[in-house]
Structures are given as structure tokens and as C-alpha cells.
Amino acid sequence: MPAIIQLEDYCRTYRNGSLEVHAVRGVSLAIHAGEFVAVMGASGSGKSTMMNTIGCLDRPTSGRYLLDGVDVGALNRDELADLRNRKLGFVFQGFNLLARTSALENVELPILYCRPAVPVREQVRRALAALELVGLSDRADHYPNQLSGGQQQRVAIARALVNEPRVLLADEPTGNLDSRTSIEVMGVFQALNDRGITVVMVTHELDIASFAKRKVVMRDGLIRTDEPVSHRLHAPEALAKLEAEQKSVHLD
Amino acid sequence: MLAILKTALRAIRRNILRSFLTMLGIIVGIAAVIVGVSMGTGAKAEVDKQIASMGNNLLIVFSGNMSRGGVRGGFGMQPSLTERDYEALRREVSGVVGVSPEVRTTVHVAAGNQNSSVGVWGVSADFAEIRSWRFQSGENFTEVDVRTANKVCVIGKTTAATLFGEGADPVGQIIRIKNAPFTVVGWLAAKGANAFGQDQDDVILMPYTSAMKRLSGDTKFRAFSLATESAEVMGDVTNQIATLLRQLHQITPDKEDDFSIRSQQEMSDFANANNRIMTILIGAFAGISLVVGGIGIMNIMLVSVTERTREIGTRLAVGARARDVLRQFLTEAVLLSVVGGALGIAAGYWLAPLLTKFAGFPTLISNASVVLAFSVSAVIGIVFGFFPALKAANLDPIDALRYE
Ligand SMILES: Nc1ncnc2c1ncn2[C@@H]1O[C@H](COP(=O)(O)OP(=O)(O)OP(=O)(O)O)[C@@H](O)[C@H]1O
Ligand SMILES: [Mg+2]
């Protein structure tokens, strides 16, 4: 079976005037449908750069990137936008929800850019279904400033899911969350992965990476290790364990 | 489209005061367009009404050459039109329904213990018909009165009111002009002010023979008024008159005419020339204000694009194309300017009647000017909103997402 994400000797060089920054210096990576990959590595090692390319927000300087068999390097801006709209879902560290816009409308956002256009009724139905999936259907009318950080990130995940993408991409999705809500978000990711969605996420935290199935470590723009996660964590158990620990702190 | 409009409305409402201040330039400019055009239209309507009140298919032959001294300068200078000219016009020009000579003098008039200084017009019996004077009561003097220089006259509304009291019918009364008794035979219906603001109702009309012999001593006329059968023959009649008068006055082709012929249309154009200058000035003011308003919109849209860079990044990330972002911000700019335009139109509707009430300017708001103002405001939104929208659309998604 061909990989859904295939990087072949992928390089990305930023050019600031005469200064050249080699952010990624030749990465070959294949991710198959149904995988859950955590990308780790020190700051500045090129994780976000690679995620941006995988997310079709950016194109390789050299090498090839094939998404679902399509060479992304040959596509123009509009074609990239269509790929992002149909095949990819993004979750950001800062949530990036639109302020003063209800959770439901935030989730509807990607549907607005579907071609052909989706009827309004269908839009609402799909947005509600996505909110249901992340367990927030009762908060559809809430504004971002009325939601907790974890809830906001779940709205962002619902938004990423609403067009039923093949791949979910998350750059430090738990970076702004406490450990409990981080585990909740990992629970959502694992549930989605169980339903067949490929997940690629960047994280700095080892225990968060343990919720994935495969761990890729980068250094200086290269992949250093690429191995399966040995002791994989499962969100419900991790949550129970955390609660027990917190309880003991309280009792002492 | 609905979603675009919703987002645009939300963005405008979010900063309602800022949005309003931004619109202010457009509001002022559009209001100026509405009021300015309404003043122009109102003034033109007024002039047209006044010119129409002078009579239908009217030609006036003035003595003197007007192309030299301007229209007013030539008015009645060196009277050159004679009784012989008048007789010849009556006899020889075809396509004419009435001819009247005209002499004018200002006299002291007394009736009972009232007296007044009034302009007397010596004219023929055709004159009332040519100039569309209607009679409130009584009737016009006759051809016989003209031939025998009878001491009869018809008087205007204002003069009648001065001499006999408001609303009193003066027909049959005697008025004394230079100690000669004149019988009032007709009372003219009101006409109001003429194109130059003079009261046309403060007037006494009498046979030109009576005026010349008994009052002024003139032997020549300052003008002839003619009414033609139809508008189509006016050109032909004008040529006939010119040929005839040149012949009578022995004007060879190398000499200038000592008379001028004007049609109603030319007089109306002249009176409207002043209005046009006023309209141009107000138009220039409106134009400047609209440009300033447009720049205000551009400025605020640039601020808005910067403020919402992350939002733009998010939209791009979830699949918005450049043209979607362009359309979004263009819609916002157009909405700003169109709402400003609508408020400006409302302000214009409010201001125009005030101007009429307190400054006495005639105003008339035409549907065309409202449509024009609305379209102009939409165009301003598109023109001045385009650059900020383009800037938004060309943002790099990664830079935009990362923007602090
Ligand atoms: N737009 C840019 N212009 C120039 N250099 C850049 C740009 N973006 C990233 N870089 C450089 O590329 C390198 C890799 O950056 P990248 O953001 O991919 O790192 P990262 O692994 O995501 O780090 P972090 O864990 O801190 O997020 C860094 O040295 C960075 O300075
Ligand atoms: Mg990063």
C-alpha cells in the first residue's frame, strides 16, 4: 500500500537576504494511512518547518513531497488551498479560533471554502456532528472566551475534522494546556486514530508522545531516530492514574 | 456569500465607533453630492418655470448688439427699433402669431391717497398673449386703444395691492400717472419673481402709444416680443427678422447688427450658467470629501488587515483561496462605504429642505442623484478597499499564522 505522506530527500532552506538557513536538510519519511506519529526534537530542529510542508502550507526547496500520491511541489497556490481544505485538518498550539464567533461557526469555517458550495443546512449538520465527536455539542453557541483552553482546543479539533480529512496535523497541540486537558486532547486523537484518521503531531513532551504509535526524533534538520512507541499510553487509563495521584495530593 | 456578509458585519460592529468615524468622510461627501445636486436641480427647475412663464415659443428682438456688451449690458442701449420696423415685422414675417413692441419707463403713480413708483411697460395688445399673462379680472386693452393712445392700463398684482389694498379688485378704478387719469381695465394674475429675482407683478402695462406720447416721450423701442406658431419655425422666423431688420436699418454685410435676437432657450441657458458654477463648486467639495473618505476607508482597512492577520492565516490554513480573502475584505470595505453612503443620503434628505427653509435655496432631490450617490459610494469602497484586500489575499499563510 502506498504511503499517504511521502517525503523524498526533502530540504527546506530559508533565505533572508544573503543569509541561508537550512531548516530541513534531506528528510525521507513515509507515513501510511492509520498511523499516529509524534515528531519530537530540540527547538529549531525543523519540526514546524516539516509540518508546514506536510500541511501544504509550504513547498519543498528541493526533494519531493507526495500527498496521497500527488506531487505537491508542482501545485499552485489555489490547488494547495484545495488540498488543505479537503485532505488535511490543522490543530495549532494557540487554537486559532476566530474571536466573537460561536463554536459552531468556527467549526463551519472550512466548509465555507468547499467547492462546490455546501448548503447551509448540511453545513450546520456537519459542524454539529464534528462537535459531537469531540464531546462539545452542548457548547455549540459558546464563544471562545466562554470556553476553557481544553474546550477551545477541542473546538479547533472539530474544525480540523469537519471536512473529513485523511490526515490530522497538530503542531504542539498541548503546548498551552495543563496535563489533565492534554490527556483529554490525546484521548480525542486516539479515538480519531481508531476511526482510521492518520495523525501527525509535534510535541516537546515525552509522555504526550507516548500516546502515539510511532515516534520520530529530529535534530538539526535531519531525522535522528524513527521507531515505534514501546510503552504506549491510553488516555482513559492515564486520566484515571492522574486523578488518583491528584487525589492523594489532596488527602495528604 | 451570506457568511462573507455576516463576517463583514461582525467586523464593522466590533468597532462601531471606529467604523462610524471612518464613514464620516463618505457621509459628508455623499450628503454634499445629494444637497449640491438638489440645489442645482432645484435652481434649474425654478429657472425653467420662470422662463416658461415668459411665454411659449418666445423670441425677443433687443435693440443694440449684445454680443459686444454681454446680455445685460446690451439691454436697451441706443434704442434702434422703430415704428417702421414694427409695422414691417407685422406685415412681412410669416409663422408669427403675435408681435409687440416694448418701451419702459418708471413713473410715480397715485390712487386715492396711496402712491408708488412703478415700472410702466408700453406694449401692443398682443403682448399679454405673447408673454402668457393671465387676467385675474377685467380684460386686456384693445387695438383701438393702441391706435388712439387711450389712457387705459392693466396692472400687476403687487401694484394693485400697493395702490388699492391686498386682494381688492382694481378694475374700473382710476389711477393718476403724471397727473393724467388712467382707467384700469384689467388685473393681471400673479407670476412671481423672474430668473433674475425681480418681482414681475409690480408692473403696469399700457398701449405703447400712450406710454410714448404721454409719459416717456420715447420715439424708439427697446425691444420687440414675438410668439411663433411653433417651436420648429423659430429658427426660420429668426432668420426672417434678421434679414428684414438688416434691410430696414441698411446694415451691409461688413457691419455689425444694431439689434439682437434671443430665444427663450438662450435666456434659460444664460440664467442656468450661474447655477452650473455653483454646482461645480459643490461638486468639487463633494469630490474632495469623497476622496478623503475613501482614503479613510483604505487606512482603516489596512489596520483591520493587520489586526486580523492571524485570522487570515487560519482561513488560509483551512482552505480559503486568495480570492476568498480578497472578496472578504473587499466586501467589508464596500459595506463600510455603502452604509456611509446610505447615511449620507439620509443626511442629504434632511439637509436639503432645511437649506430651502432657512437660506431660501430651491432644492429638488432627484432619484437619479440618489442612485448616483449610492453607486459612487460603492465604487469608492471597491477602489479604496482593493489595495488592503489585495494585501490580505497575498499574505503567506505561514507568516500570517505566526503573526503576533
Ligand atoms: N521564516 C523563516 N525564516 C528564516 N528562518 C526560519 C524561518 N522559519 C524557521 N526558520 C529557522 O528554521 C529552523 C527550524 O525552525 P522550526 O520552526 O522548524 O523549528 P522547530 O523544530 O519547530 O522549533 P520549535 O520546537 O522551537 O518550534 C530554525 O533555525 C529557525 O530559525
Ligand atoms: Mg515549532
Side-chain angles (χ1 to χ4, degrees):
Chain A
M1 193 174 77
I4 187 161
I5 290 167
Q6 182 143 14
L7 293 167
E8 293 169 4
D9 197 24
Y10 154 60
C11 296
R12 180 69 172 96
T13 307
Y14 295 107
R15 213 165 259 118
N16 278 340
S18 59
L19 192 74
E20 286 197 350
V21 180
H22 298 277
V24 180
R25 304 184 295 161
V27 162
S28 294
L29 180 69
I31 297 174
H32 293 269
E35 285 200 83
F36 186 167
V37 181
V39 180
M40 299 198 68
S43 188
S45 55
K47 308 181 293 293
S48 293
T49 302
M50 186 173 80
M51 285 294 274
N52 288 339
T53 300
I54 292 175
C56 296
L57 290 164
D58 195 14
R59 276 174 298 207
T61 313
S62 70
R64 290 214 304 167
Y65 168 42
L66 304 175
L67 173 65
D68 223 359
V70 178
D71 186 351
V72 169
L75 301 180
N76 65 26
R77 248 190 101 144
D78 285 353
E79 288 164 333
L80 290 179
D82 277 354
L83 273 189
R84 294 196 292 270
N85 186 248
R86 286 187 291 113
K87 296 206 170 163
L88 302 165
F90 288 92
V91 177
F92 305 97
Q93 179 176 356
F95 319 138
N96 282 29
L97 298 179
L98 304 194
R100 294 172 195 80
T101 305
S102 72
L104 187 72
E105 284 174 297
N106 263 293
V107 175
E108 282 173 353
L109 194 63
I111 314 179
L112 302 182
Y113 301 115
C114 284
R115 279 153 222 274
V118 178
V120 174
R121 273 255 210 79
E122 173 71 4
Q123 270 178 34
V124 176
R125 194 192 63 72
R126 273 161 65 175
L128 279 174
L131 277 174
E132 176 100 53
L133 217 57
V134 298
L136 274 181
S137 42
D138 55 334
R139 299 295 166 95
D141 295 332
H142 284 54
Y143 291 96
N145 59 354
Q146 299 168 324
L147 297 171
S148 74
Q151 287 167 336
Q152 287 186 56
Q153 194 59 302
R154 269 145 71 192
V155 173
I157 295 169
R159 179 178 66 194
L161 292 174
V162 78
N163 277 349
E164 294 170 357
R166 304 283 311 275
V167 182
L168 188 66
L169 300 172
D171 195 345
E172 299 186 42
T174 60
N176 286 2
L177 301 176
D178 65 17
S179 46
R180 188 195 156 81
T181 37
S182 296
I183 295 171
E184 280 172 10
V185 166
M186 285 306 110
V188 176
F189 278 14
Q190 284 186 330
L192 294 171
N193 184 240
D194 290 342
R195 295 167 59 113
I197 294 176
T198 311
V199 180
V200 182
M201 82 177 169
V202 171
T203 181
H204 281 285
E205 298 156 81
L206 251 175
D207 46 342
I208 291 297
S210 306
F211 288 94
K213 293 174 178 165
R214 175 178 167 191
K215 191 168 78 179
V216 172
V217 179
M218 294 185 72
R219 191 160 81 193
D220 294 338
L222 290 169
I223 291 181
R224 184 138 171 281
T225 60
D226 182 352
E227 60 195 14
V229 172
S230 46
H231 300 286
R232 193 178 184 216
L233 294 177
H234 293 276
E237 295 154 25
L239 212 54
K241 195 172 149 216
L242 187 74
E243 263 167 19
E245 279 171 12
Q246 282 176 340
K247 224 174 231 164
S248 67
V249 172
H250 261 272
L251 289 174
D252 280 357
Chain B
M1 195 60 219
L2 201 73
I4 289 182
L5 218 60
K6 224 161 132 188
T7 309
L9 272 174
R10 186 177 291 146
I12 287 170
R13 272 213 314 265
R14 183 181 311 178
N15 276 309
I16 191 82
L17 182 63
R18 185 171 95 180
S19 304
F20 177 74
L21 292 175
T22 306
M23 288 177 205
L24 215 50
I26 300 287
I27 295 175
V28 170
I30 291 292
V33 169
I34 294 284
V35 172
V37 173
S38 82
M39 282 167 74
T41 326
K44 183 163 187 322
E46 195 81 350
V47 166
D48 287 349
K49 202 174 81 193
Q50 287 155 352
I51 296 290
S53 79
M54 289 173 70
N56 290 319
N57 304 326
L58 177 66
L59 282 176
I60 300 183
V61 182
F62 295 101
S63 66
N65 189 307
M66 286 190 191
S67 55
R68 217 171 31 211
V71 176
R72 277 191 235 200
F75 224 108
M77 274 185 353
Q78 359 123 323
S80 60
L81 304 172
T82 64
E83 183 91 36
R84 192 167 73 107
D85 298 338
Y86 173 51
E87 296 300 338
L89 284 180
R90 292 215 326 172
R91 234 182 11 249
E92 293 179 24
V93 179
S94 63
V96 168
V97 293
V99 186
S100 172
E102 195 182 314
V103 289
R104 286 194 206 177
T105 177
T106 302
V107 295
H108 216 72
V109 185
N113 54 2
Q114 301 295 321
N115 62 73
S116 174
S117 187
V118 188
V120 168
W121 296 29
V123 293
S124 79
D126 288 348
F127 188 78
E129 184 66 31
I130 295 170
R131 292 296 191 94
S132 303
W133 278 107
R134 306 264 166 275
F135 285 86
Q136 182 108 345
S137 78
E139 55 192 9
N140 197 7
F141 54 81
T142 63
E143 288 276 353
V144 176
D145 291 325
V146 175
R147 236 175 294 135
T148 54
N150 269 348
K151 289 183 276 185
V152 291
C153 66
V154 300
I155 69 177
K157 183 123 193 194
T158 308
T159 313
T162 315
L163 296 175
F164 301 104
E166 194 69 49
D169 187 345
V171 172
Q173 303 278 359
I174 304 292
I175 59 174
R176 303 191 69 82
I177 306 175
K178 286 198 169 171
N179 285 325
F182 281 73
T183 309
V184 177
V185 295
W187 185 21
L188 296 167
K191 268 195 177 186
N194 69 8
F196 303 103
Q198 297 156 330
D199 182 5
Q200 299 182 88
D201 298 321
D202 198 5
V203 70
I204 296 177
L205 305 185
M206 65 171 64
Y208 68 93
T209 45
S210 313
M212 289 165 91
K213 268 187 214 148
R214 299 175 194 280
L215 303 181
S216 68
D218 288 337
T219 55
K220 294 193 172 177
F221 305 119
R222 70 203 305 272
F224 292 123
S225 292
L226 298 96
T228 63
E229 281 165 359
S230 66
E232 287 75 47
V233 299
M234 285 186 94
D236 175 50
V237 171
T238 305
N239 289 338
Q240 288 184 53
I241 297 169
T243 313
L244 182 62
L245 288 181
R246 274 184 209 129
Q247 202 182 323
L248 289 168
H249 294 190
Q250 294 168 339
I251 294 167
T252 46
D254 57 311
K255 277 198 267 176
E256 281 186 337
D257 291 347
D258 59 355
F259 60 90
S260 318
I261 307 170
R262 291 282 177 269
S263 71
Q264 225 169 336
Q265 185 55 45
E266 289 166 310
M267 289 182 276
S268 133
D269 289 348
F270 173 73
N272 274 322
N274 292 329
N275 298 330
R276 214 165 300 133
I277 292 169
M278 188 183 71
T279 307
I280 288 169
L281 284 177
I282 293 175
F285 169 73
I288 291 169
S289 173
L290 287 174
V291 168
V292 169
I295 291 171
I297 285 184
M298 178 145 89
N299 184 34
I300 233 57
M301 288 311 295
L302 285 171
V303 170
S304 177
V305 168
T306 307
E307 280 176 350
R308 289 159 63 194
T309 299
R310 268 169 81 95
E311 174 192 324
I312 296 166
T314 307
R315 287 176 185 274
L316 291 171
V318 300
R321 296 180 177 194
R323 81 190 67 137
D324 294 320
V325 176
L326 184 87
R327 200 175 300 144
Q328 176 75 57
F329 280 86
L330 213 47
T331 304
E332 251 173 76
V334 170
L335 200 66
L336 264 180
S337 66
V338 160
V339 170
L343 290 176
I345 289 170
Y349 264 100
W350 179 68
L351 279 172
L354 287 185
L355 204 67
T356 309
K357 198 167 160 198
F358 293 111
F361 278 113
T363 55
L364 192 72
I365 296 180
S366 64
N367 291 339
S369 72
V370 171
V371 172
L372 173 86
F374 203 73
S375 322
V376 163
S377 61
V379 167
I380 286 175
I382 292 172
V383 168
F384 289 91
F386 196 78
F387 173 64
L390 198 66
K391 197 181 159 204
N394 284 337
L395 281 174
D396 179 71
I398 300 171
D399 292 344
L401 279 168
R402 212 182 276 153
Y403 186 85
E404 297 298 327

